[in-house]
Amino acid sequence: MMEKQIAVGVYALGAWFSLYLLIASLLRLWTRTSHLPDAHRAHITESFVSGVQGAACGIVGLCAVVSCKHDVMGEKYPLAVHYSSIGTAYFVYDLWAMYRSHAASKAFVKSQLECLLSYFKKDLLMIVHHITIVLVLFPAMVYHSPMGHFFIGCFFCTELSTPFVNARVILSRLGLKKSKIYVVNGLLMMTIFAMCRIALFPIMYAAYLSQQTKAPTHIQALAKIPLTCHLSCLLVLAPQLYWLTLMVKGALAVVNAQSSELPVKDE
């Protein structure tokens, strides 16, 4: 089983790198993006691949949730296990992709070491997030957790907002920041982000408690959940709250900027 998962991960890692290189090549040929700076094209490429991963992971998560909702603690969904290797490979690849985007925007930096240090300083939270998922979260959930795959599906569903987050970056790099589609995407992004990355956690606990008949009280049922599960939820939830705050601030800034540009009518 482990050998098969490793093989899937290795092939997936190659696939993510190949998709990145393919999109990067197409952007150099497309007249709309061929004139853009290297940093812009690097961010668009990184965002496109991230959006593909988010959509795929979210779809697998939804399938797992629907298939396992009748027995959240016991039901298994094999595709969720297989996709964990694909997702792990993506987060390994994305550490490289984020560095590529950072390096492209720091063309004036003299040494690779200086560029690497500035990358760690700028994206430390994301780097820790990715490494934690690869080394702790995926192995703990898939291989060492007594939970049913309903919960793994829920965690995969957190990626449903990723295509909208990345569409925002792509639209911005294409100079469409003041377009209606940018505003609509921003509203969808915040709504789905709040639903799939924050509201999802109380929903998971509610689903678990609704099917617990052995424990006399909900408090005792919660106490039976391994501490590592609670810590994993907190570890995932904390950065989501931070990022949602940044999104709301960004949305307010866009609304205020557009309001200030409206012509003032003379009395």
Side-chain angles (χ1 to χ4, degrees), residues 248-262:
V248 173
K249 289 181 178 179
L252 292 174
V254 171
V255 171
N256 291 334
Q258 291 185 347
S259 298
S260 63
E261 292 177 1
L262 292 175

Side-chain angles (χ1 to χ4, degrees), residues 3-34:
E3 291 79 4
K4 183 177 181 180
Q5 289 299 104
I6 292 174
V8 171
V10 170
Y11 282 116
L13 186 61
W16 290 125
F17 278 110
S18 299
L19 180 59
Y20 180 98
L21 296 174
L22 174 62
I23 300 303
S25 299
L26 292 176
L27 290 178
R28 285 194 293 269
L29 297 174
W30 188 27
T31 54
R32 180 69 184 267
T33 56
S34 59

